[in-house]
Amino acid sequence: MTDVGQRPQRRSDALTKAGIVDAAIEILDDGGAGALTFRALAAHLATGAGALYHHVANKGVLLSTAASAAMTEVLAAAGSADPAASIRSVTVGVFDAITARPWLGSQLVAAPWQPAVLQLFDRLGSDVTALGVPEPAQFDAASALVHHVLGVASQYDAGQGLDPAGGGRSGVIASSASPLVRPDGGRYPFLVRIEQQLVDHDDRQQFEAGIEIILTGLGALRRGAATGEDTDRGTGS
Amino acid sequence: MTDVGQRPQRRSDALTKAGIVDAAIEILDDGGAGALTFRALAAHLATGAGALYHHVANKGVLLSTAASAAMTEVLAAAGSADPAASIRSVTVGVFDAITARPWLGSQLVAAPWQPAVLQLFDRLGSDVTALGVPEPAQFDAASALVHHVLGVASQYDAGQGLDPAGGGRSGVIASSASPLVRPDGGRYPFLVRIEQQLVDHDDRQQFEAGIEIILTGLGALRRGAATGEDTDRGTGS
DNA sequence: ACCTGAACACCGTTCAAGT
DNA sequence: ACCTGAACACCGTTCAAGT
């Protein structure tokens, strides 16, 4: 976002893990996940590649630390007193962050149970609890919400290095001709039928619709607590 | 599954794309995503690495073709006359395939809108239609189901090459001490509270619970078709 | 046309050598 | 202790040369 590629000369202050992660995020925001290499990062910080290993163990922790920092930002900005509104605010906040920073989406789905995912899980777990979902179902409920977010995240990590057939939700699929033909030469009957929606739809709106579907499902879960103690107050905290 | 590393000598028949993909799947099943390199694949087929490029454009299409083949298997084996049962059968079928072949999970979340995902999307879209979800909501409904599957897929791709903090759903998190401490030193109140469930829970069962939550939400969607034509028969196909 | 395999342009990571 | 930067062990991909 800010200035990148500037000042590749000076190196007065000592290296810090925080400083390295900040620089990494700058590179990620500016050039995407593919732009982050230890050589580029070292050049950006005017140091040698090996120096970085004194502060971060490897590229994995660098990326998961960056993702965790981004998630902390999102969670700090989102929330509401009403549990359902809070769930909407948090999940949409993550969605917006992922569209603004595709590297975040890639990283969230790349490493299971990394800090950023745990942070999100914990927050949604608290919201789900406040929503009145009974204890035994809270874990499943939070899971469903996290999976929805991660599923969407996985659709936004393009750019990277693999399938050249990818390239953008609308563009590739909507272009009518070849992409709607299966590898075996068959067709996709459902996708062909709703093709116009594929072209016209708004990803963010569709994401929100998915959250509403889950919230509706959770509402039924809340009411139908067949096994439960009748009101369950007193577990404190 | 079968024999790997055998017969690295003979090469009588000509190379085929299908044969290359089959060999790739064998390597993936046997050694995981990290084991598939063009050098290993060439050795397995007793040919040179460059020869492979006469049949597959790059590693991306190799992986997405392999994933598509695996998805075709799953979809052929799954299904039911009852729409809801079919959705359960298809999604659980994909879940089982992902746990059996972690490389499939990695690949599904690595490339957006690849053939394997389109196949799944199309199938779930048809099921959702048969379930009675009204036309304008069918796309959102199928999306929600696909995202749930992909979200789970993203939690299974460990093994690979990044965060060494990962390592297994139960093991890492459940070990009580450090993993439940946030990067900023704080704690995860929700996760700490349900820690025992984290240890005890069954991933497959939790996946099914998520599908049930979504199915419940879809049920409400089906009833509340406020905009709709009253019965909507006749769109044929 | 298909195949070969050395070569190219990268990676992440290590490590002797400096300060 | 921290930093340097060349070197190592890989990658995916290309391409002259063979058949």
Side-chain angles (χ1 to χ4, degrees):
Chain A
M1 301 298 187
T2 62
D3 51 341
V4 181
Q6 314 291 64
R7 48 180 96 78
Q9 63 283 18
R10 50 197 174 105
R11 165 95 268 116
S12 52
D13 48 347
L15 284 172
T16 332
K17 175 164 180 182
I20 292 173
V21 171
D22 284 346
I25 290 177
E26 237 178 298
I27 292 175
L28 288 166
D29 281 340
D30 209 66
L36 183 64
T37 67
F38 272 76
R39 284 171 179 80
L41 185 55
H44 192 73
L45 290 165
T47 184
L52 303 173
Y53 285 88
H54 284 271
H55 301 93
V56 302
N58 55 46
K59 193 172 184 181
V61 315
L62 181 62
L63 281 168
S64 76
T65 306
S68 176
M71 183 62 73
T72 299
E73 270 181 42
V74 173
L75 296 183
S80 162
D82 176 59
S86 183
I87 289 172
R88 292 188 187 96
S89 164
V90 165
T91 52
V92 170
V94 176
F95 177 89
D96 288 340
I98 287 170
T99 56
R101 332 174 104 165
W103 62 267
L104 179 58
S106 313
Q107 174 55 24
L108 289 179
V109 301
W113 301 116
Q114 62 185 302
V117 173
L118 292 180
Q119 289 169 251
L120 177 63
F121 202 112
D122 193 72
R123 174 66 164 264
L124 291 172
S126 300
D127 287 341
V128 151
T129 303
L131 192 68
V133 172
E135 166 115 6
Q138 289 163 7
F139 189 24
D140 293 341
S143 264
L145 288 166
V146 168
H147 287 152
H148 188 72
V149 172
L150 294 179
V152 170
S154 79
Q155 299 306 96
Y156 273 91
D157 68 358
Q160 290 266 52
L162 291 189
D163 191 5
R169 300 124 269 306
S170 48
V172 174
I173 298 184
S175 56
S176 71
S178 60
L180 285 182
V181 178
R182 285 192 305 209
D184 64 357
R187 292 230 148 223
Y188 296 111
F190 175 73
L191 293 176
V192 167
R193 182 161 60 79
I194 65 157
E195 189 171 353
Q196 202 48 235
Q197 292 181 54
L198 269 171
V199 184
D200 297 339
H201 89 285
D202 180 321
D203 278 353
R204 192 174 193 266
Q205 212 168 281
Q206 177 161 286
F207 174 80
E208 293 178 308
I211 295 294
E212 294 309 320
I213 290 171
I214 296 175
L215 282 174
T216 303
L218 295 188
L221 216 58
R222 183 169 27 143
R223 286 186 299 276
T227 52
E229 309 80 350
D230 34 21
T231 345
D232 180 76
R233 65 173 81 86
T235 26
S237 106
Chain B
M1 300 302 185
T2 62
D3 51 342
V4 180
Q6 315 290 67
R7 48 180 96 77
Q9 63 283 17
R10 50 198 174 106
R11 164 98 265 117
S12 51
D13 47 347
L15 284 172
T16 331
K17 175 164 179 182
I20 293 172
V21 171
D22 284 346
I25 290 177
E26 235 178 300
I27 292 174
L28 288 166
D29 280 340
D30 208 65
L36 182 64
T37 67
F38 273 77
R39 284 170 179 82
L41 185 55
H44 191 75
L45 289 164
T47 182
L52 303 173
Y53 284 88
H54 284 270
H55 301 94
V56 300
N58 54 45
K59 193 173 182 180
V61 315
L62 181 61
L63 281 168
S64 76
T65 306
S68 176
M71 184 62 73
T72 299
E73 271 181 41
V74 173
L75 296 183
S80 163
D82 175 59
S86 183
I87 289 172
R88 293 187 186 97
S89 164
V90 166
T91 53
V92 170
V94 176
F95 177 89
D96 288 341
I98 287 169
T99 57
R101 332 173 102 165
W103 62 267
L104 179 59
S106 312
Q107 174 55 23
L108 289 179
V109 300
W113 301 117
Q114 61 185 302
V117 174
L118 292 180
Q119 289 169 252
L120 177 63
F121 203 113
D122 193 73
R123 173 66 165 265
L124 290 173
S126 300
D127 287 340
V128 151
T129 302
L131 192 67
V133 172
E135 166 117 5
Q138 288 164 5
F139 189 23
D140 294 340
S143 264
L145 289 166
V146 169
H147 288 152
H148 188 72
V149 172
L150 294 179
V152 170
S154 78
Q155 300 305 97
Y156 274 89
D157 67 358
Q160 290 267 53
L162 292 188
D163 193 4
R169 302 120 274 303
S170 49
V172 174
I173 297 183
S175 58
S176 73
S178 59
L180 284 182
V181 178
R182 287 191 306 209
D184 64 357
R187 293 228 149 224
Y188 295 113
F190 175 72
L191 294 177
V192 167
R193 182 160 60 78
I194 63 157
E195 190 171 354
Q196 201 48 235
Q197 291 180 56
L198 269 171
V199 184
D200 296 339
H201 89 286
D202 181 322
D203 278 353
R204 192 173 193 268
Q205 211 168 282
Q206 177 161 286
F207 174 81
E208 290 178 310
I211 294 294
E212 293 309 319
I213 290 170
I214 296 175
L215 281 175
T216 303
L218 295 188
L221 215 59
R222 180 168 31 141
R223 286 187 299 275
T227 53
E229 311 80 348
D230 35 22
T231 344
D232 178 77
R233 64 173 80 87
T235 27
S237 103

